[in-house]
Each structure stands twice: as C-alpha cells, then as structure tokens.
C-alpha cells in the first residue's frame, strides 16, 4: 500500500530558500559555488583505442572519416582547438553514437565553455538561464512515493490526463524547482547545470519520493546520464515515461483499440541521452496498432526539430533541417507526426499541418487508442 | 469597505465598456447616460473618491451606483486581474450606502416591500401561488424537482403566463415537479445585488430551511436570477442543492424527442439573460431548444453570448427603473439590435427580460415587426 | 439650474449636461500624474451642430473648452486647467463612410480606434488602419491630434500623416473643411496639392479647434500576420539592427521593448517584428528576408530570434495589445505614465540606459517601449513607469523620474510627444524664436479669446 506523503510546510519553505539564491547573489555573498565540485568523468583511453570513432563519424552535421574523427577527438580531449567546437550544432547525437560509455557531447560542451566558444547568441542564453531560475513558483500535486515529473514543461500540465495516469496522478511536480536544466548543454553552459542540478535533485530528495516518472527525456537523461557522468548521486529511481506508458497500455489490455494509422516519429535531441529507451516507441506503436513509417530520418538518423537551430544559427540551417525532415515524412506517407517533446511539437506543428500531417503528442496518441481522444 | 484594497487599481482604460471585438459599447448604464461616470471605470474612481471623502453620497452618486445592472459585461471584458470582482465591488459599495441608510427612494421602497410582504409588489403572500390556478402543476410533495418561480413569475401578469407555460411544458414532458405556492418567498438575488446583505441572508436562510424541511434535492428555477443566487450564494449559507434553469432541463428532453414539435417558420434571435449567460456560463441550453424546433432559423445578433447587451433589468433596475426610460435605455437598444439581425421573434429565457423587452418593443413602436416570447412559449406553439 | 447649464441643456439635452460633483471629480483628472483641476461643466454632444453651438456659447461667455476623447493620453491634456466646459466627444462615434477603392474612411470626432477596427473587420476585410496600442476606447481624432503612432507607422509615418482630411469647428464656432474635401466631394488628401492647413490643428491639442470629422487613410489588410522577436543584449547595436530591418521594407511594425519582468525578458532588448502576407509563400519570404537581414548579428552572437511559445503569440498579435494597459497593474496599483519623446533611433542606447538608471534611482518598475517611425527616420521611445495609485510616495518618485526624462530628452535631441504643460513650456522656451512667434500668431488669430484648451501651447 502506498502511503500519502504530505509535504510539511517547512519543506516547502526550504525550496523557497533556494529561490532567490541566484548565482549573482552567491558570488556576492562569497559563499562557495556548489557547481565547481562536479567534474565530468571521461576516459580518454577509450577514445585513443576506439576502432570506429562513431561519435563524430556518425555526426549528421559534419563529415568526418575515422582518422579525422580520432584526431579531432584527441584535440578536444587535450583542450586544443578543434573545428568541431565551432561546427557542432548541439544535436546531442554523439552521446548515443558512442557506445563505449564515454560522453563526447558533454566533453565538447565543457571545452566550449572553457574556451568561451558560444553556441547561441548571448541574449538567447541569458534568456534561457533566466527562465530556469528557481523562483518558488512550483506546483506540487498530492505527493506519493511515486510521482510524475513535468519538469518545467507547462504543456505537460494539459497533456497528462485520463486513465493512463490514474495510478499515479495527482502525484506530480512542476516548476523551475524540478527543472533538470539539461537544456543548457545546448548553450555550452555546464556550470549552470552543475550549480542547479544538485539543488533540483535535493528538492526531489526532500519530497522523499522513491520513483520519479520523467515525462520528458531531458529530465530522464539528467538523472540517468548527466548526473552519473558528473558524479552526482540520484536518491530515487528514475523511470522513463515511455516505459510507464507501455506498461499502462498493457494493463489496459482489451481497452486498447488499434488505431490503424501511419505515423512518423519526431525524435528529440534529448532522447539521445537514453538511447536504451528508444525502442519503446516501436513497442508502443505496435501495441496501439500504429504503423510507424520507415523513413530516413529516424532512430540514429533523426533530425533536430530546428527550434534550437533557429535560435542559435539562424534561418538557413533551421529551414534546411526542417524541410528535409518534413519532406521525408510526406514522402513516406505519414498521416500523423508523433511527438515526444512538446517543444519539438511547437516548432513543427504549423509547418507539418500545412502538409496535411497532423501533429500529436505520444500521450494523446495513446489516449486515442483507449478512446479518450 | 470590502475590496478596499482593489478599488484604486482601476486604470479607467475602458476595455470593460466594450464587447470583445470593440464593435459596440456594452455597459448598459454607460450607453444610457453617456458620461464616463456611469461606466465601470467611472464607478471605480468615484467609489474610491467617496471612500476618501472627496465626494459625498449625493443623489447623483446614488443614481450612478444603482443604475449598474450588475450585468457583468465589465467582469467579462476588464483586462486586469481583479476583473472577477468588479460587480462584487459595486455591490459592496451599495452595501455601504444601504448600511448608512442613504439610498434612492425606489431602492428603499423595494427593500421595504420585500421586508414586509416577501415580494416587491406589496401583494399578499397568500396569493403568491395563484398564478398556477387552473393548471395541473402540483404543490411540491417529494417530487423529483422543486419548481421555484420567484417574485416576478408569481405576481407579474406577463411573467405569470410564462410561469404557467414553463410548468405545463415540463409536466407534459414527464418531469416530476411541484411548486411551493404560497409558501414560496423571495430568493433574494436582487436584494443582495442592491446591497441589503442582512435581508438577503435572512431570506436565503429562510429558503434553505424550508427546502431542507421539505427534503428538496433538485430545483428548477424559472428565473435566471434565482438560478444565480441558488448556485452562487446559497451553498455558502448551507444550501447545497442541484440547481437547474428550466432550459437546462428542457433542452435534453426536446433533443431526445420527449416533446414532438411541428414545423413553423420564423427567424428567431436569442437574448442571453446576464444571470444565465455571463454570470453562470450557460449559453447553450436555450439555443439547443430553439435549434431543435423544425422550421425555425436561429440568427444571432452582433452582440451575443458573453457580448450580449443587458436588457437593463438587472441589479434591481427591473424594479427601481433607475436605468430605464428614453431612447438610449438598454432595452430599447437591444430591441433595435434584434431588428438589425433580421429576427421576427426575440426569444428570452427570463421573465424580467421578457417584460423589459416587450416594453421596449412598445416604446419603439415595432410590435408589427417583432415579438418577444419566452423559449417555452415558442416551444408550446408548435407542440404536436 | 444655472444660466449656462440651461443653455447647454438646450443644446445637447438636459441628460447630457452635468455640473455635478461626480462628473467634476472624474473629468478633473486622467489616469496619469498631472494635478487635477475641475471643470465647471461636462457635456456629451451628439452632433456637429451641437458642438458648434457649445463653442459659440463658450465664446460668448469667454469660457474655456476642453475636448476630450478617451482621456488616455496620460499627460493631463484633457484636464481643464482653467475650468470651463469639458466636451466628451465619445457620443459622436460613427463610422460615416468607407471609400473602399480609394482606401479611406471618414469617422466622427469621437469614434474610437476599437470601433473602426471592428467595423472594418466586419465589412471591409481587405482594409485596415494603423491601430495604436492605447486602449480600444481611445479616439481617432485625439490620436491624430497628438500625432500618435500605430501598427503601420514604420511603413507610413505618424498616424497623423495618414489623415486625408478634417472637418473642424473653429474657436468662432464656424465649421471648416481642411484638405481636398474643401473643394471636392472626395477626402483623399489633407493638403496637397493645396496649401496644407491641417498643421493649423494637428498637434495643437484642441487649442485651435475641435475636430468633428477625420478622414483616415486605410491600407491593405493581408490575410495572415505573424510575429518574431529578435533579442539582443547589446543596446548599442539596436540602431544598426533596426537599420537592417527597415532596409528590407518587409516589416509591418517594429517595436522594441526592454523590461525586467517577467524574467524571460530580463537582461535583454526585444525587437518585435510583425510580418504579413496573403499567402504562406509571401509570409515565409518576408520572414526569410528579415532573418537574413540580421544574420550577421546572429553569427557574431550579438542577437538571435527567440523561440516564441505559441501561447505568447496571440498576446503579441492582438490589436490593440491589451497587455500594454496591464502594465498599469504590475505594482498592483493601477497606474502608469510614460514620457515618449520622438528621437533619433541612434539614441536608443542612451535612452535605454537612462530608463534603467532612473528606475533604480527612484526604485520604480519600468518598461522601455520604443516604436520605429518610418524607415528608421526616428522613433518614439517610451520611458514608462508603473506606480501604485494608493502610494503617494511612489507617485512622487515617478513624477521626479519623468521630470528627469524631460530634461534628458531635450538634451539628447529629442522632441516631446504629447507633452505635459510643463514640457510644452520647456519646448516653447527652447525652440527657434521665429517658430515660436509663428505659433503665437496662429494661436492668437484663431483663438483670440484664448478659450480653446487654455494652458496648452500658450506662447507668452
Ligand atoms: C496603455 C496605453 C498605450 C498607449 N499606446 C499608444 C500607442 O501605441 N500609440 C499612440 O499613439 N498612443 C498611445 N497611447 C497614448 C494615447 O492613449 C493615444 O494616443 C490615444 O489615441 C489618445 O486618444 P484619447 O481619445 O484617449 O485622447 P485624449 O487624451 O482624450 O485627448 C488627447 C488630446 O486631444 C484633444 N482632443 C481630443 N479629441 C479632440 C477633438 N475631437 N478635437 C480636437 N482635440 C481633441 C484633447 O483635448 C487632448 O489634448 C497609449 C496610452 C496608453 C494608456
Ligand atoms: S567518444 Fe566514444 S565513440 Fe567517440 S572516440 Fe571516444 S569512445 Fe569512440
Ligand atoms: S552533438 Fe551532434 S552536431 Fe555536435 S558533434 Fe555531436 S553529433 Fe555532431
Ligand atoms: S474596470 Fe478594468 S477595464 Fe474597466 S476601466 Fe477599470 S481597469 Fe480598465
Ligand atoms: S455590471 Fe454591467 S452595468 Fe454594471 S458597470 Fe458592469 S457593465 Fe456596466
């Protein structure tokens, strides 16, 4: 039996204490900045002996042969200049391509930050850093030992509804206090992550929760990839929401009706942090009778939704990537495009709708299959 | 005064005066009087000035405050976060005035009559149920629904007809209902909106006690005003009942063909009563009924649903007539709006609107072009 | 009833005249910070003849007259500084004629921007006018009277540049037509090819006459609109960015804002760009043009297009933007006022540094809001502060900050827009003496008794 765990007021006020404890204030107060104690574990020997250098060889935005890739990787490891540090568009792909347990993209990010190589315009980075700052405006549902984490994705407050979530809801958290901050790897800013992520983890710890169903890949990636890579301890069990959905659909058994539609799947960058969970897309589609079209830009080859590309690199790259991606969906006869990340959905919805492809979040698709939509 | 911490926050920007597309000014008292002071922003600034002692409680001030029809157009369209409280603020100011005893004579008379007779007409309480004479509408006796009429439906000649029609139609459709007859007393909605909160509480408590004594669970109201106070105010005074406006009960019955209707051709427009629409969000039920009548075409006025112009009867003005009279009185403007839409019938779902708009049809001398009928009366005409 | 009340009642009907304390209180002030002064009478006329009669009466009695639209100019321009009669124009709110093919409309002297917009949307979906972000009640006549700016100002200049003709009641009570309509049935031009007499009235705040009709130019309304926001942390680069953007000739309107709250806006300047098109291709073409025009700044990391969450777009795309009015309640106090000098776009960096400096000096919440006028010919830079109406100290601090803005603006080569009477005085003192004399000549000749909105544009 699950025990209702009600947060005592004091715990809430403790979150609040983090609120205005921003970087600036910390620096001003002369207190130690927590982030500095976390360092990326990266085994350079793995790279030196790597037969494939898949990380950069498979990169979709640069064209490198194995030898060149190794050469550049070694430069990056040594802290030397490499064009990769200029040209990487932050698709997170190499985190998946490296199957030897290293973290090439985190390393690229570290080096960029050290060298002051900006990805995004400063104003964009500032904006994102400001948005994520903890301000005591989080929302807590009726917290149990198992919770859903909406991170700081407001769309999830709307999306998460119905019987699929019956057994956990209304046990959820939302707000900057529970926002993983992983997105800042797009902005070559790991120090903000090192500063904030431990506080976020601590907030979860204070809730006393044991299982956290992460409703966004980035959140799941934070606890299963990034935190371990930096030696941060995670005092609960993260569960990817695909796995959760899959199991729920199985439980609902007969109530699931095959949808008999053809869909394309838009894989988000953050899914690269948990490639072992990607198979659930296919599994879920099979369960709900959906034909997942075999297209060029899927799985390892997936293309970025373009949202970040626009902010960082401007019109042409964004447009080119989006166009190739959408044409590919059209070519393969997709009737729907299934999204995992609401931000991708926002970025592509209008454009795919114009091509007569309907945008739908995977949660809504599953709800459709049980007659809720 | 209640809400004192909000009143100074009005920017007097005037969004509250409009419909949502800005096609028309839609605060009935502003339409009628033309001065900013009779608009919501004007009221806010004057209440503040009065509280600060910068102006006095004059006849003009009373007219300004009591000509508000509590129609909630301002609540709907004010762009600030306190918008929900605008009507509450105006009522709170009236409450202050009532407490000090300085109020317009017709308001005083209205309240006195309710106090002494339980109705505004000074009619004997034991004649309240007379409207039902000659009908088969039974006295309430454990029926599924209590059919609550209100003062207007009980005493006003025109409204009595509507009450009978609604009662008959519901019974014909097989609804189990009964009335309180002479035991019914004022629901208090207008008493509250005129700021006599003490009297309102007395009435409400009296009603709640009676309803409970009779083990009432569900209530159908004839009048959206009663519907409003039963749903919005009674629960906090211990009166939790299932409340329906009669159109909400009738709509599904008609849609499921419990009543079969004959063809009849006419262009109808529907006038949303403020206390059903803006105050309680019910825009569909009456329309569903009208749309189900074969042959009728429902056409909307430009100002409809949350943008409907109030008939001018709300907030006690039906009785006090502070807002009435003249070409720019809201009921006359409303009738002109209905004519502009090309309708031949103005359908209403409130006995007060019925009366207000009928008076306006007379004043505008357009009786040959347009007629005012309650939704139930429209249903009755083509009844098979 | 007093003499004058009676005479006014004979003109407009008893119901539409007031000498009561309530109207005196309300019409003595506006939502801004200028000191109140009570009118003796407030009237709400419905016809041009009524306005003429009121003016004649006032002239006979040597009584001041102050025309008022919605009273939203915030700088006290409708406060009857010397008492007299306030004429609330808003009952004269008809849209009289729309000339579709010649793209102009004739409206009455109290017609609101909101009404015109609704009317065009309903009946002439291919036409639009330049909607300002003032509340929808604000009137067209007053807006051109104060040389307002709207959504089409970057393309076509001040809203007053879009006037195509006027009908004015002169201080004598005579009715006068200005522009092509003075000798043609058509209202297509406010002056050219005749001597342009509109300058005798526009910009005068009613001190030379009362507008009873305005012809306003209308423009094509495309089927689609969209918005993009370019953000930068380099205020010094904003003028260059605007230069590139205006070079494209692809943008509907360019507004720039900087404010500390909500946090998403902290630390940056936001160049808001509206684009329009009749087809997806047209819209996308324009989008590409404007993105490309700023590509250099993206590459140098000095700015980028932010990702606009879909929930934000309707707020930005609505006309008028109601969110601008909501700024008044940021401090839960229902007040805001701004000083909005018209100034060179190159002064953007100085202006934005100034507003931040003043906000911190006087502990005020601020919003810098600039609108580009013409193809970067100049801009309106709004130094906007919100205040709590129940906090006299905050109101005083706001007044002081605005006074400093007034000094700063002139020093930076700016010209006051809708100046308070104090700012008008400063402007008159410092302007070219011959210009000053010319203004005096015009005023004394048109309004020898000095009854028209007295206190405004008075040259001594
Ligand atoms: C939130 C907010 C946003 C704003 N945004 C904008 C904006 O984007 N663009 C912009 O231009 N302005 C803006 N303003 C300023 C102002 O509100 C507008 O310019 C508005 O159009 C003024 O119209 P009004 O009817 O309120 O003028 P009023 O304040 O009533 O009058 C202004 C002046 O015109 C005179 N006047 C009025 N009617 C007549 C007449 N018929 N004949 C002769 N003189 C007359 C008055 O005596 C006064 O001197 C904004 C104001 C606010 C509060
Ligand atoms: S990061 Fe991984 S894939 Fe790349 S070179 Fe190192 S070990 Fe090989
Ligand atoms: S993050 Fe993407 S773009 Fe960058 S190096 Fe890795 S695979 Fe290439
Ligand atoms: S009530 Fe609201 S909308 Fe109306 S004037 Fe006041 S602030 Fe503006
Ligand atoms: S409730 Fe209606 S009548 Fe009263 S101020 Fe608001 S809009 Fe006007």
């Amino acid at each position: 039996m699950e025990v209702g765990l009600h947060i005592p007021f004091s715990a809430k006020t403790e979150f609040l204490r983090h609120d205005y404890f921003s970087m600036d204030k910390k620096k001003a107060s002369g207190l130690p900045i927590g982030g500095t104690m976390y360092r990326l574990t990266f085994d350079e020997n793995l790279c030196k002996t790597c037969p494939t250098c898949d990380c950069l060889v498979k990169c979709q935005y640069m064209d490198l042969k194995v030898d060149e890739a190794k050469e550049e990787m070694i430069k990056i490891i040594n802290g030397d200049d490499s064009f990769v540090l200029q040209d990487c568009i932050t698709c997170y792909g190499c985190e998946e391509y490296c199957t030897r347990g290293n973290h090439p993209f985190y390393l690229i990010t570290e080096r960029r930050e050290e060298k002051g190589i900006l990805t995004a315009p400063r104003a964009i980075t500032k904006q994102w850093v400001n948005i994520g700052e903890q301000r005591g405006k989080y929302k807590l549902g009726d917290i149990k030992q198992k919770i859903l984490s909406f991170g700081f994705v407001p769309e999830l407050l709307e999306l998460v509804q119905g019987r699929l979530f019956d057994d956990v809801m209304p046990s959820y958290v939302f707000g900057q206090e529970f926002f993983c901050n992983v997105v800042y790897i797009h902005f070559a800013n790991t120090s903000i992550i090192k500063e904030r992520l431990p506080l976020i983890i601590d907030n979860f710890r204070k809730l006393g929760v044991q299982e956290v169903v992460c409703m966004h890949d980035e959140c799941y990636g934070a606890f299963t990839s990034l935190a371990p890579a930096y030696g941060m301890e995670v005092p609960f069990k993260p569960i990817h929401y695909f796995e959760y959905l899959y199991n729920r659909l199985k439980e609902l058994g007969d109530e699931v009706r095959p949808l008999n539609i053809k869909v394309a799947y838009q894989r988000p960058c953050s899914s690269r942090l948990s490639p072992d969970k990607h198979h659930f897309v296919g599994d879920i589609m099979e369960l709900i009778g959906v034909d997942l079209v075999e297209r060029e830009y899927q799985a390892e080859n997936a293309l970025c939704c373009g949202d970040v590309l626009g902010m960082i690199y401007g019109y042409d790259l964004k447009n080119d990537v989006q166009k190739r991606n959408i044409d590919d969906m059209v070519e393969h006869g997709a009737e729907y495009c299934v999204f995992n990340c609401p931000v991708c959905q926002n970025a592509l919805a209008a454009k795919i709708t114009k091509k007569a492809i309907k945008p739908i979040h995977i949660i809504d698709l599953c709800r459709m299959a049980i007659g809720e939509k | 005064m209640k809400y004192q911490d909000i009143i100074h926050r009005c920017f007097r920007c005037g969004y509250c005066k409009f419909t949502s597309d800005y096609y028309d000014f839609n605060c009935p008292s502003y339409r009628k009087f033309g001065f900013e002071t009779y608009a919501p922003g004007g009221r806010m600034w004057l209440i503040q000035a009065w509280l600060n002692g910068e102006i006095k409680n004059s006849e003009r001030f009373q007219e300004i405050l009591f000509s508000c029809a509590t129609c909630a157009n301002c609540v709907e369209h004010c762009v600030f976060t306190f918008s929900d409280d605008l009507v509450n603020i105006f009522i709170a100011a009236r409450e202050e005035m009532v407490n000090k005893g300085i109020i317009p004579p017709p308001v005083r008379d209205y309240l006195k009559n309710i106090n002494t007779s339980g109705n505004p007409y000074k009619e004997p309480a034991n004649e309240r149920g007379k409207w039902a004479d000659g009908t088969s509408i039974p006295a309430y006796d454990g029926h599924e629904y209590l059919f609550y009429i209100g003062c207007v439906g009980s005493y006003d000649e025109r409204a009595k007809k509507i009450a009978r029609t609604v009662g008959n139609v519901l019974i014909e459709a097989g609804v189990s209902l009964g009335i309180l007859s002479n035991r019914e007393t004022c629901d208090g909605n207008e008493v509250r909106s005129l700021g006599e909160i003490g009297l309102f509480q007395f009435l409400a408590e009296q009603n709640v006690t009676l309803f409970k004594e009779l083990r009432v669970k569900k209530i159908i109201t004839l009048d959206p005003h009663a519907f409003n106070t039963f749903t919005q105010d009674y629960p906090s005074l211990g009166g939790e009942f299932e409340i329906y406006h009669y159109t909400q009960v009738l709509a599904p019955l008609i849609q499921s063909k419990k009543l079969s209707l004959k063809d009849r051709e006419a262009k109808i427009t529907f006038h949303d009563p403020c206390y059903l629409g803006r105050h309680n969000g019910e825009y569909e039920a009456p329309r569903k009924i009208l749309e189900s009548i074969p042959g009728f075409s429902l056409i909307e006025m430009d100002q409809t649903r949350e943008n409907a112009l109030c008939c001018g009867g709300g907030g006690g003005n039906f009785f006090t007539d502070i807002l009435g009279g003249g070409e720019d009185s809201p009921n006359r403007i409303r009738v002109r709006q209905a004519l502009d839409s090309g309708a031949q019938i103005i359908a209403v779902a409130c006995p007060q609107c019925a009366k207000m708009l009928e008076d306006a049809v007379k004043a505008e001398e357009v009786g040959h072009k347009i007629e005012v009928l309650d939704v139930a009366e429209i249903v009755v005409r083509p009844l098979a | 009833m007093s003499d004058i009340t009676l005479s006014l009642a004979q003109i407009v009907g008893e119901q539409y005249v007031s000498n009561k304390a309530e109207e005196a209180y309300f019409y003595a002030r506006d939502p801004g910070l200028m000191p109140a002064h009570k009118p003796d009478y407030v009237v709400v006329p419905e016809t041009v003849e009524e306005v003429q009669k009121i003016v004649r009466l006032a002239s006979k009695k040597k009584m001041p007259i102050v025309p008022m639209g919605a009273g939203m100019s915030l700088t006290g321009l409708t406060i009857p500084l010397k008492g007299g009669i306030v004429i609330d124009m808003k009952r004269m709110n008809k849209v009289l004629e729309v000339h579709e093919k010649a793209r102009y409309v004739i409206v009455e002297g109290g017609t609101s921007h909101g009404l015109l917009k609704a009317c065009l949307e309903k009946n002439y979906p291919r036409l639009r006018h330049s909607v300002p972000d003032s509340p929808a009640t604000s009137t067209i006549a007053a807006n051109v009277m104060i040389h307002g700016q709207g959504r089409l100002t970057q393309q076509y200049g001040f809203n007053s540049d879009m006037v195509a003709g006027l009908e004015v009641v002169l201080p004598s009570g005579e009715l006068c037509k200005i522009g092509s309509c003075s000798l043609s049935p058509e209202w297509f031009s406010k002056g050219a090819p005749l001597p342009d007499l509109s300058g005798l009235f526009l910009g005068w705040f009613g001190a030379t006459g009362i507008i009873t009709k305005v012809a306003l130019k209308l423009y094509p309304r495309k089927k689609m609109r969209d918005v993009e926001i370019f953000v930068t942390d380099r205020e010094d680069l904003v003028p260059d960015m605007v230069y590139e953007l205006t070079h494209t000739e692809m943008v509907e309107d360019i507004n720039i804002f900087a404010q500390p709250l909500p946090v998403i806006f902290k630390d940056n300047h936001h160049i808001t760009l509206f684009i329009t098109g009749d087809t997806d291709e047209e819209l996308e073409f324009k989008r590409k043009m404007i993105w490309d025009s700023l590509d250099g700044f993206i590459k140098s990391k000095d700015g980028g297009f932010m990702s606009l969450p879909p929930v934000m777009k309707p707020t930005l795309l609505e006309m008028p933007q109601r969110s601008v009015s909501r700024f008044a309640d940021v401090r839960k106090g229902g007040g805001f006022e701004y000083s909005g000098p018209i100034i060179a776009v190159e002064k953007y960096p100085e202006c934005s540094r100034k507003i931040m400096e003043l906000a911190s000096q006087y502990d005020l919440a601020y919003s810098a809001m600039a609108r580009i006028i013409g193809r970067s010919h100049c801009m309106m830079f709004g130094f906007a502060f919100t205040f709590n109406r129940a906090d006299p100290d905050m109101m005083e601090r706001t007044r002081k900050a605005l006074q400093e803005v007034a000094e700063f603006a002139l020093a930076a080569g700016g010209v006051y827009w809708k100046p308070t009477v104090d700012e008008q005085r400063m402007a008159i003192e410092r302007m070219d003496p011959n210009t000053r004399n010319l203004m005096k000549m015009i005023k004394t000749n048109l309004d020898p008794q000095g009854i028209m909105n007295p206190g405004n544009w008075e040259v001594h």
Side-chain angles (χ1 to χ4, degrees), chain A residues 170-223:
Chain A
S171 170
Y172 75 92
V173 293
F174 168 81
Q176 287 101 325
E177 274 66 14
F178 302 97
F179 169 49
C180 65
N181 283 271
V182 168
V183 72
Y184 301 118
I185 51 182
H186 277 307
F187 302 111
N189 192 337
T190 59
S191 49
I192 196 97
I193 303 176
K194 286 182 247 175
E195 184 206 343
R196 288 181 184 170
L197 186 54
L199 300 179
I200 305 303
I201 294 175
D202 200 39
N203 283 343
F204 280 98
R205 187 188 57 72
K206 283 181 195 143
L207 290 180
V209 297
Q210 285 168 9
E211 291 182 304
V212 176
V213 182
C214 301
M215 302 304 296
H216 194 278
D217 282 301
E218 212 147 270
C219 174
Y220 184 77
F223 304 129

Side-chain angles (χ1 to χ4, degrees), chain B residues 133-160:
Chain B
D133 288 356
T135 69
S136 54
I137 306 167
Y140 182 80
D141 183 18
H143 294 87
E144 183 182 358
Y145 296 97
L146 166 68
F147 183 31
Y148 181 90
I149 310 303
C151 300
V152 184
S154 300
Y155 292 106
D156 178 89
E157 283 311 318
R158 174 71 186 89
K160 274 159 48 173

Side-chain angles (χ1 to χ4, degrees), chain B residues 9 32 36-37 58 79, chain C residues 15 22-23 90 326 329:
Chain B
R9 286 168 57 191
K32 157 90 200 276
E36 287 283 342
T37 40
S58 65
V79 297
Chain C
Q15 192 193 331
E22 290 71 16
E23 282 71 36
K90 289 191 293 299
R326 279 190 206 110
D329 209 33

Side-chain angles (χ1 to χ4, degrees), chain B residues 51-342:
Chain B
L51 294 176
N52 290 345
E54 291 170 278
I55 59 165
K56 296 199 173 61
N57 180 350
S58 65
E59 265 177 42
R60 181 78 160 184
F61 185 59
Q62 292 165 33
E63 182 178 71
I64 289 170
L65 277 180
F66 284 92
S67 59
C68 164
T70 64
C71 72
N73 183 71
C74 49
V75 172
E76 188 75 38
H77 296 114
C78 167
V79 297
F80 286 69
T81 50
F82 53 80
S83 59
D84 275 351
D85 281 322
L86 283 171
V87 167
N88 297 338
I89 291 169
F90 304 145
I91 292 176
R94 290 173 173 188
E95 188 184 344
E96 288 290 300
M97 295 163 86
V98 168
N99 289 344
K100 298 204 168 81
I102 310 173
I103 49 175
V107 175
R108 187 196 56 216
D109 295 346
Y110 172 86
L111 296 171
K112 203 167 97 198
N113 294 340
I114 298 276
N115 210 355
T116 53
S117 318
N119 69 72
Y121 300 96
K122 287 201 275 189
E123 295 283 340
N126 58 16
E127 288 181 11
R128 193 170 177 112
K130 260 188 151 175
W131 65 271
D133 288 356
T135 69
S136 54
I137 306 167
Y140 182 80
D141 183 18
H143 294 87
E144 183 182 358
Y145 296 97
L146 166 68
F147 183 31
Y148 181 90
I149 310 303
C151 300
V152 184
S154 300
Y155 292 106
D156 178 89
E157 283 311 318
R158 174 71 186 89
K160 274 159 48 173
K161 276 195 213 155
I162 300 177
R164 281 194 288 271
T165 313
V166 172
N168 287 335
V169 170
L170 290 172
I171 285 179
E172 177 149 350
V175 179
S176 153
L177 58 74
I179 55 173
L180 291 174
S181 196
N182 296 345
R183 296 179 73 185
E184 189 184 283
T185 187
C186 177
D187 53 73
N189 190 62
E190 312 316 289
V191 172
R192 186 190 56 88
S193 75
L194 286 168
E196 183 28 311
I197 306 302
L199 179 57
F200 167 70
Q201 275 175 354
F202 171 77
L203 291 169
E205 276 156 19
Q206 192 175 317
N207 280 325
V208 171
T209 313
L210 179 65
F211 298 168
K212 282 189 172 162
E213 220 174 87
L214 296 173
R215 296 179 193 287
V216 171
K217 296 264 165 349
K218 299 179 177 179
I219 304 175
I220 299 175
T221 72
L222 173 71
D223 195 322
H225 296 246
F227 176 77
N228 178 65
T229 193
F230 288 173
T231 46
Q232 306 282 339
D233 309 316
Y234 278 37
S236 63
L237 297 166
E240 303 239 17
F241 310 98
E242 258 181 63
I243 313 291
Y244 300 89
H245 182 252
Y246 88 82
T247 53
Q248 296 174 320
V249 178
L250 199 51
L253 293 175
I254 286 192
Q255 286 186 313
S256 66
K257 304 237 182 317
K258 284 256 166 80
L259 287 166
S260 54
L261 308 169
K262 266 196 284 196
D263 257 353
R264 179 174 181 259
E265 279 189 20
K267 284 186 194 151
I268 298 194
T269 192
F270 178 67
H271 164 76
D272 290 275
C274 307
Y275 275 111
L276 196 57
R278 273 188 294 262
H279 281 280
N280 290 291
E282 179 58 270
Y283 299 105
E284 296 308 327
R287 286 183 171 77
K288 278 189 193 145
I289 299 176
L290 295 170
E291 280 162 359
S292 305
I293 307 179
F296 277 170
S297 51
L298 180 63
I299 43 181
E300 296 286 356
M301 291 179 259
D302 281 330
Q303 303 76 5
T304 181
R305 294 171 184 262
E306 55 277 9
N307 294 313
L309 177 69
C310 168
C311 72
N317 280 283
F318 180 79
F319 303 102
T320 60
D321 205 26
I322 296 171
L323 180 52
E327 249 179 72
D328 287 330
S329 60
N331 53 346
R332 289 182 64 177
I333 300 176
R334 192 62 173 154
V335 166
R336 296 198 289 269
Q337 291 176 345
L339 281 168
D340 284 347
S341 76

